[in-house]
Amino acid sequence: MLFDTPVRLGVQIQPQHVTYPQIRDAVRRLEDMGVDILFNWDHFFPLFGESDGLHFESWTMLAAWAEQTEKVEFGALVNCNSYRNPDLQADMARTIDHISAKGGEGRFIFGTGSGWFQRDYDEYGYEFGTAGSRLDDLADGLARVEARWAELNPAPTRRIPVMIGGKGEQKTLRLVARHADIWHSFVTAEELPHKLSVIEKWAETEGRDTSNLVISNELQRRGPEDADALYAGGTRLFTFGFGGPDFDYDAVQAWLDWRDAKNA
């Protein structure tokens, strides 16, 4: 695993209960503050608070961020594989990658998962299936995404990083070993060594080198001591949930200061 890389801070702007101008302003301010990665999430309704409150779609928003920003990386934490044909996902990702390049390499991260929020499925007409069937669909989808990237003209500007979220040992972590550049989870520092050993075992089965895998985890409802423990276990990307309309920029700055101290 890639433990000698600098610590990076990602901020997940929750696309709920705010107007789009408020989101646009948050993107600008967070990039100016020096956040490394900006995320949204891929849902169609709020995940908490007023269930029918304001909410915006993920991929169209990411295309706007690609044009608006100059240096920050960005993506969904995470895309839902169920909602769009995998070949279409690949083409959308490649296009957003090019939009964000601004004369250099693109900055898009392809974060993806199998989906879980049943209301999205029911109201938008997708088959919910089971947790197992959705993971099987994700396995098929990832293979198709990577195959389509190899065929597109023009090709992506870089090898688009793949982030996979989850911790299930039989299917999800095998997909991490097979495809991921970044593994994101909510596991505790105590759980981390075991989960990493599972990924390493699956990597041996898959015949893939995971020495460059970046370990990502969540800061929400955690403090510096928790983050220190996760860092000691190898976590190098830390993500912070950022909800409006009263965005707490001071909390982000505190985590940026913690990041900078770790990287000093």
Side-chain angles (χ1 to χ4, degrees):
M1 312 301 172
L2 195 60
F3 296 165
D4 58 353
T5 189
V7 173
R8 292 189 295 164
L9 178 67
V11 173
Q12 183 185 48
I13 301 174
Q14 299 165 1
Q16 61 177 11
H17 308 311
V18 292
T19 66
Y20 194 75
Q22 289 172 311
I23 292 174
R24 184 188 298 115
D25 181 63
V27 168
R28 177 187 59 78
R29 291 184 63 176
L30 292 168
E31 182 175 42
D32 288 347
M33 289 173 70
V35 166
D36 298 291
I37 307 173
L38 293 176
F39 295 108
N40 62 15
W41 65 42
D42 188 18
H43 295 287
F44 305 132
F45 301 95
L47 297 187
F48 46 87
E50 170 53 48
S51 61
D52 291 315
L54 300 176
H55 197 278
F56 292 97
E57 193 275 330
S58 171
W59 280 84
T60 45
M61 183 186 299
L62 293 173
W65 292 5
E67 190 61 56
Q68 177 185 348
T69 59
E70 297 292 333
K71 57 193 176 191
V72 70
E73 290 189 286
F74 62 95
L77 185 61
V78 289
N79 164 67
C80 178
N81 176 70
S82 306
Y83 302 159
R84 302 161 194 88
N85 172 286
D87 294 88
L88 174 61
Q89 294 177 49
D91 205 339
M92 293 163 68
R94 180 279 310 257
T95 300
I96 291 175
D97 168 71
H98 276 265
I99 294 169
S100 69
K102 309 291 178 68
E105 288 190 339
R107 294 172 284 115
F108 180 70
I109 295 172
F110 183 68
T112 194
S114 59
W116 61 272
F117 190 39
Q118 188 166 354
R119 184 183 180 190
D120 285 346
Y121 288 79
D122 292 345
E123 296 218 24
Y124 277 59
Y126 299 109
E127 179 67 35
F128 188 57
T130 66
S133 69
R134 293 193 300 276
L135 280 165
D136 291 342
D137 289 343
L138 177 61
D140 176 69
L142 281 163
R144 289 173 58 183
V145 166
E146 292 177 348
R148 181 59 58 185
W149 279 339
E151 296 177 1
L152 288 169
N153 185 16
T157 67
R158 64 172 180 168
R159 185 183 180 279
I160 296 175
V162 173
M163 169 189 269
I164 297 176
K167 65 177 185 176
E169 296 182 9
Q170 295 306 308
K171 291 189 176 183
T172 301
L173 295 187
R174 184 168 190 173
L175 291 177
V176 169
R178 185 184 302 164
H179 296 283
D181 302 287
I182 305 168
W183 169 52
H184 181 78
S185 77
F186 297 82
V187 302
T188 65
E190 292 74 22
E191 294 176 281
L192 199 53
H194 171 68
K195 295 297 184 182
L196 293 178
S197 72
V198 172
I199 293 173
E200 289 174 352
K201 289 177 182 177
W202 279 127
E204 292 176 6
T205 301
E206 294 291 332
R208 182 168 180 252
D209 179 9
T210 56
S211 60
N212 288 326
L213 182 70
V214 174
I215 311 306
S216 171
N217 210 302
E218 172 66 44
L219 291 171
Q220 201 70 16
R221 295 176 295 279
R222 287 172 166 164
E225 288 187 2
D226 300 306
D228 288 344
L230 288 166
Y231 175 86
T235 304
R236 291 298 181 268
L237 172 57
F238 293 84
T239 66
F240 180 69
F242 199 54
D246 298 319
F247 292 115
D248 187 354
Y249 292 95
D250 290 341
V252 174
Q253 186 59 57
W255 284 115
L256 287 169
D257 293 343
W258 178 88
R259 176 201 68 182
D260 293 345
K262 282 287 188 256
N263 291 336

